[in-house]
Amino acid sequence: MDKKLLVTAAVGKTHGYDGFLRIHPMSGETGHLEKLHDCVIETRDGKQVAVSVLETRKHADCFLMKFTSYDTKEKAAVLSGGRMLIQRDQAPELKKGEYYIADLFSLDVICNGQKAGVVESVCDGAQADYLMIRKNDGRTVLVPNMPPFVSRPDFESNSITVLMKELLES
């Protein structure tokens, strides 16, 4: 995935007959979505579609968006189940110490002072996200992205340290 694009929301079911889709922001914030003019929708089959925002609105407990050329329920349904990607400069501002999950991808994984692998992806977990690490031998392991298992990511050195070597042994 293009590192300039960030996944900001899940695209839910259609709402009504006018092509509105329910949008579920990853951060819970909608302010940045209300200002969007263009974005990319990655469909369920992995195809990326550039779209222009026609209208946004809040309705009860959900946030709705409508896109140009997808202005009927049937057309909009094609985007349902996808992911919304936006340019990094359109994302909500980070607070000190925060980072985007996308920034973890491709970090070198260090254990006992040596490179042990690379962060390949991040998966949702019940208590924390899990780092999917591709070890140097080609095998993958899942490691919780939380202390006491890993350090905070060091973006200057492009690395994250696994603090318990047993997590890499499988």
Side-chain angles (χ1 to χ4, degrees), residues 29 92-100 103 152 155:
E29 298 177 31
E93 188 120 355
L94 292 173
K95 295 176 184 140
K96 184 175 174 127
E98 291 182 330
Y99 55 87
Y100 296 113
D103 295 334
R152 288 202 44 82
F155 296 110

Side-chain angles (χ1 to χ4, degrees), residues 2 65 105 137 140:
D2 184 348
M65 293 182 89
F105 298 170
D137 64 9
T140 58

Side-chain angles (χ1 to χ4, degrees), residues 9 20 53 62 79 84 88 97 107 140 147:
F20 280 96
V53 178
C62 62
L79 304 176
M84 179 183 290
R88 186 174 282 270
L107 287 181
T140 58

Side-chain angles (χ1 to χ4, degrees), residues 108-129:
D108 290 335
V109 175
I110 307 298
C111 186
N112 292 334
Q114 301 206 11
K115 182 178 174 183
V118 175
V119 176
E120 196 167 82
S121 66
V122 179
C123 312
D124 290 333
Q127 293 181 329
D129 290 332

Side-chain angles (χ1 to χ4, degrees), residues 94-101 103-105 107-111 119 128-129 131 143-164:
L94 292 173
K95 295 176 184 140
K96 184 175 174 127
E98 291 182 330
Y99 55 87
Y100 296 113
I101 294 297
D103 295 334
L104 297 173
F105 298 170
L107 287 181
D108 290 335
V109 175
I110 307 298
C111 186
V119 176
D129 290 332
L131 304 175
V143 175
N145 184 25
M146 60 186 285
F149 308 111
V150 297
S151 68
R152 288 202 44 82
D154 181 347
F155 296 110
E156 287 183 26
S157 68
N158 195 48
S159 66
I160 190 165
T161 301
V162 172
L163 302 172
M164 300 173 69

Side-chain angles (χ1 to χ4, degrees), residues 53-71:
V53 178
L54 192 59
E55 191 177 340
T56 65
R57 79 168 68 139
K58 291 182 181 178
H59 177 73
D61 63 343
C62 62
F63 185 75
L64 305 174
M65 293 182 89
K66 183 176 180 177
F67 303 104
T68 304
S69 301
Y70 296 89
D71 54 356

